[in-house]
Amino acid sequence: MTGKELILYILQHDLENEIVIKDGIFVWLMDEEEAAAKFNVGVSTIRAWYICRMLSGTKIGDRLYFLRNIGDPRKDDKHE
């Protein structure tokens, strides 16, 4: 997503007054520890899934972050 696309998304969805950053982190992101708890695995597993591209995320500094609504990579969504 480009910056322009993000701005348009914010404007189209009336998100101008929504809190987007809290404690220095985007509110729609979870860190690797939160992801590990969500999927009931260890942080090392989360990092391995990220490296193997099973989880899409972003690295900020030394930490990984993922969208809070990301699905469990062990599940095949095509058959749900």
Side-chain angles (χ1 to χ4, degrees):
M1 175 178 275
T2 66
K4 182 178 180 180
E5 290 169 334
L6 176 59
I7 292 167
L8 290 172
Y9 181 86
I10 290 169
L11 294 173
Q12 290 168 348
H13 294 90
D14 297 319
L15 301 174
E16 298 93 338
N17 296 316
E18 293 293 319
I19 295 174
V20 294
I21 297 177
K22 183 177 180 182
D23 300 326
I25 301 296
F26 288 104
V27 295
W28 60 80
L29 295 178
M30 64 178 164
D31 65 18
E32 53 200 329
E33 284 86 11
E34 291 175 279
K38 176 178 179 171
F39 299 123
N40 199 29
V41 297
V43 172
S44 295
T45 300
I46 295 298
R47 291 178 184 158
W49 287 349
Y50 173 77
I51 290 168
C52 293
R53 297 184 177 168
M54 292 172 65
L55 277 181
S56 179
T58 189
K59 191 170 187 178
I60 302 173
D62 292 334
R63 300 182 61 80
L64 294 173
Y65 294 91
F66 306 92
L67 291 175
R68 290 193 180 277
N69 65 350
I70 197 165
D72 190 327
R74 297 170 290 190
K75 296 185 178 179
D76 185 355
D77 292 338
K78 296 175 189 169
H79 299 95
E80 290 185 326

